[in-house]
Amino acid sequence: EVRLVESGGGLVQPGGSLTLSCAASGFTFSSYWMHWVRQTPGKGLEWVSRINVDGSGTNYADSVKGRFTISRDNAKNTLYLQMSSLRDEDSAVYYCARLSWDDVWGQGTTVTVSS
Amino acid sequence: QSVLTQPPTASGTPGQRVAISCSGSSSNIGSKYVYWYRQFPGTAPKLLIHSTNQRPSGVPDRFSGSKSGTSASLAISGLRFEDEADYYCAAWDDNLTGWVFGGGTKLTVL
């Protein structure tokens, strides 16, 4: 079964840091670009970042550039999102996703930034 | 404010045809493929249309996508109660060097 499972979400204070993980299974992880997409409760989807197959190329939304870092470990079939200088507006459900013609999404992990 | 503009709501009765619009610009819809996602409450989005007008395996042919200039459209024919969901359009944006999503359209089947 093709699966993505996120973890690492939680409550963090403004200015704090958090690292999300996404464990992939059931497909050749190292063959796909991977993405992080977030969704604020009751609001729409916002693309956050993507990484190429070997980790040498990344892109970020302007809203997180300089604060978030996407990375991957193909040996562990795991995608990461390091988040720092967190702001209230970063509170959201974060999805790990394979955005391709045969897309796969995780179930999401919730990040709450609050004092 | 989303880069791609969708109507916040749409509605129809069972059996009807409904179209959801998505307006963008030359740096996204005008030059790139459009993708459509459907999301039910409490679940992750799921791809409905890729490459502007292609259906992934398992998506019924009641769903179709099209594009004209810098606008795209998702059409749902033979509307069913189970089509009630949020629908999002998406595309790559060359200027932003990233994916952009529409704000989403909540479809109600009356």
Side-chain angles (χ1 to χ4, degrees):
Chain A
E1 181 193 1
V2 175
R3 209 167 170 220
L4 295 171
V5 179
E6 302 95 337
S7 60
L11 174 62
V12 60
Q13 291 189 336
S17 300
L18 205 59
T19 297
L20 306 182
S21 300
C22 170
S25 59
F27 66 99
T28 306
F29 178 71
S30 58
S31 296
Y32 290 87
W33 290 60
M34 295 297 296
H35 301 251
W36 287 99
V37 177
R38 68 186 181 184
Q39 184 168 33
T40 308
K43 299 254 179 95
L45 300 167
E46 180 187 14
W47 177 82
V48 173
S49 181
R50 74 170 184 176
I51 187 168
N52 66 357
V53 294
D54 64 3
S56 63
T58 59
N59 297 100
Y60 298 91
D62 286 345
S63 58
V64 306
K65 206 170 289 184
R67 301 186 299 121
F68 289 13
T69 302
I70 190 172
S71 62
R72 66 191 297 161
D73 186 334
N74 286 342
K76 295 183 177 179
N77 291 335
T78 303
L79 177 72
Y80 302 98
L81 185 68
Q82 293 175 272
M83 306 183 293
S84 63
S85 303
L86 283 163
R87 307 166 181 166
D88 290 351
E89 55 264 34
D90 294 319
S91 295
V93 174
Y94 284 74
Y95 293 104
C96 159
R98 188 182 85 183
L99 298 183
S100 57
W101 61 268
D102 53 348
D103 71 326
V104 182
W105 294 67
Q107 84 289 351
T109 187
T110 301
V111 173
T112 303
V113 183
S114 175
S115 53
Chain B
Q1 198 83 354
S2 302
V3 173
L4 304 182
T5 302
Q6 297 179 238
T9 61
S11 64
T13 57
Q16 267 190 335
R17 179 183 182 277
V18 168
I20 297 172
S21 63
C22 175
S23 177
S25 67
S26 58
S27 62
N28 43 66
I29 291 178
S31 57
K32 301 297 177 187
Y33 285 132
V34 180
Y35 298 77
W36 289 92
Y37 295 87
R38 178 173 63 182
Q39 185 179 34
F40 296 110
T43 69
K46 185 64 181 171
L47 185 66
L48 212 51
I49 296 288
H50 69 87
S51 307
T52 303
N53 56 16
Q54 301 298 304
R55 286 184 308 276
S57 173
V59 174
D61 59 7
R62 300 189 298 109
F63 296 88
S64 62
S66 63
K67 182 177 86 167
S68 178
T70 58
S71 291
S73 181
L74 171 71
I76 308 171
S77 60
L79 205 57
R80 300 180 178 183
F81 286 115
E82 56 260 38
D83 293 330
E84 273 205 355
D86 294 324
Y87 293 82
Y88 294 90
C89 59
W92 177 261
D93 189 293
D94 278 336
N95 286 350
L96 297 175
T97 322
W99 281 77
V100 289
F101 282 90
T105 298
K106 184 176 184 61
L107 175 64
T108 301
V109 181
L110 305 167

